[in-house]
Amino acid sequence: MSRRFLLFSGMLLGCLSMGSCSKASNPQPLDETPAYAQRLIDVYPQCNMRYEDCCIIVNDSVTIIYDDHAQKSFTEKLDNCDIEDVFSMIYDTINSTPSYLNDAGRGRNELLFKTMYGHSGQEVRKNLVPVEWFGQKILFTKVNNAAQQLELVAQELSRYPEFHKYLTGASTFYWRSVRGANRMSAHSYGIAIDINTKYSNYWLWANPHSAETDSITYQNQIPLEIVRIFEKHGFIWGGRWYHYDTMHFEYRPEILK
């Protein structure tokens, strides 16, 4: 039996013993960091992440499976999202209408986000700081420089008074589950902002009895100039989702890189 075969077998058994690499075909070498794992490491340096044994290690204390190799439906990917699932769709900044079921960034690995931002509303609150936002002070997390980036968005948007009507009456932190789902809202982590609902469209408002996989018609009133300024500073837009939420922006630089 060759030395190469023995080495490969040992690597594969190491992954299987962790329950994280359930497929034997084309396994990820243990010493090779997947591109998307490296992207997380790069955009969130404060969290001291590394890739090891098919997992992401955060702050030398929390181990998160990178890819559980489970076959999942669209809704299962949202409700039970491993880190690899987060990157299974491409955030499309080119087409004006999102393609069917393309909700890039709508899925979040809950253990990763709770590890970064807090496991409870009380923990998240410890890192919230006020941000001046068009006549109001809103709370946003300082973790991963999210509040600092939102301040840059506000500074740039302040140069365009014609956009201010879309931005007032904003809301941010609210520890809660997504309506009708068993997962936390991005607002729970202090990384999301909803702008003026008067000019916003949301897929469930227009389709109150629709299921996640039903066909729906896209609607939007938010100027794309606003969207591009948010995206420039690391925020994704809910209006890029098939299940559109055009008031919604969240700090997700890993999706945009």
Side-chain angles (χ1 to χ4, degrees), residues 13-55:
L13 287 171
C15 275
L16 288 172
S17 68
M18 295 177 62
S20 57
C21 294
S22 59
K23 292 184 179 179
S25 60
N26 194 27
Q28 177 74 40
L30 294 185
D31 59 349
E32 182 178 325
T33 302
Y36 291 129
Q38 188 61 54
R39 186 181 293 187
L40 281 175
I41 293 167
D42 291 343
V43 301
Y44 296 126
Q46 291 183 6
C47 296
N48 189 28
M49 297 187 199
R50 70 178 187 275
Y51 181 80
E52 183 179 297
D53 295 340
C54 307
C55 296

Side-chain angles (χ1 to χ4, degrees), residues 5-256:
F5 177 81
L6 288 171
L7 178 61
F8 172 80
S9 300
M11 291 167 61
L12 181 59
L13 287 171
C15 275
L16 288 172
S17 68
M18 295 177 62
S20 57
C21 294
S22 59
K23 292 184 179 179
S25 60
N26 194 27
Q28 177 74 40
L30 294 185
D31 59 349
E32 182 178 325
T33 302
Y36 291 129
Q38 188 61 54
R39 186 181 293 187
L40 281 175
I41 293 167
D42 291 343
V43 301
Y44 296 126
Q46 291 183 6
C47 296
N48 189 28
M49 297 187 199
R50 70 178 187 275
Y51 181 80
E52 183 179 297
D53 295 340
C54 307
C55 296
I56 292 287
I57 315 296
V58 185
N59 289 326
D60 292 325
S61 59
V62 178
T63 300
I64 305 171
I65 294 173
Y66 177 75
D67 182 4
D68 61 17
H69 292 273
Q71 299 298 317
K72 301 171 188 175
S73 67
F74 174 77
T75 52
E76 287 170 340
K77 273 192 175 183
L78 292 176
D79 288 332
N80 187 26
C81 188
D82 65 29
I83 294 176
E84 190 273 340
D85 290 333
V86 170
F87 300 99
S88 62
M89 302 175 192
I90 302 301
Y91 186 78
D92 186 357
T93 61
I94 305 300
N95 296 301
S96 58
T97 302
S99 59
Y100 178 65
L101 299 188
N102 188 358
D103 287 353
R106 193 168 167 231
R108 306 169 199 93
N109 180 269
E110 293 221 332
L111 179 55
L112 174 62
F113 276 71
K114 287 180 177 178
T115 300
M116 290 196 296
Y117 298 110
H119 290 264
S120 67
Q122 185 177 10
E123 284 188 14
V124 175
R125 279 188 178 276
K126 293 177 182 178
N127 289 307
L128 298 181
V129 295
V131 174
E132 295 287 345
W133 185 264
F134 302 95
Q136 62 180 126
K137 285 189 177 182
I138 56 178
L139 294 176
F140 223 68
T141 186
K142 64 182 180 181
V143 177
N144 293 322
N145 296 321
Q148 180 180 342
Q149 293 305 111
L150 186 61
E151 288 173 347
L152 293 175
V153 172
Q155 290 171 18
E156 193 161 345
L157 286 172
S158 67
R159 304 171 195 163
Y160 304 93
E162 66 273 25
F163 294 154
H164 292 185
K165 67 179 183 180
Y166 298 100
L167 304 169
T168 58
S171 59
T172 53
F173 171 69
Y174 183 19
W175 182 267
R176 64 176 177 84
S177 298
V178 173
R179 184 170 64 177
N182 187 28
R183 61 184 184 274
M184 299 304 294
S185 164
H187 291 276
S188 301
Y189 307 118
I191 61 170
I193 177 172
D194 285 349
I195 58 176
N196 196 340
T197 58
K198 181 179 178 180
Y199 300 99
S200 301
N201 298 95
Y202 178 52
W203 74 280
L204 274 178
W205 291 347
N207 308 271
H209 303 296
S210 293
E212 292 271 4
T213 54
D214 289 347
S215 295
I216 56 177
T217 301
Y218 182 74
Q219 301 177 22
N220 174 49
Q221 305 171 65
I222 306 300
L224 289 180
E225 292 88 345
I226 293 175
V227 175
R228 293 187 185 103
I229 290 171
F230 268 99
E231 290 174 340
K232 175 182 175 181
H233 297 288
F235 289 78
I236 62 172
W237 178 42
R240 302 282 193 202
W241 298 336
Y242 182 75
H243 296 91
Y244 55 88
D245 186 357
T246 68
M247 75 191 86
H248 182 87
F249 295 86
E250 64 181 86
Y251 185 64
R252 299 288 299 283
E254 77 276 17
I255 302 298
L256 290 163

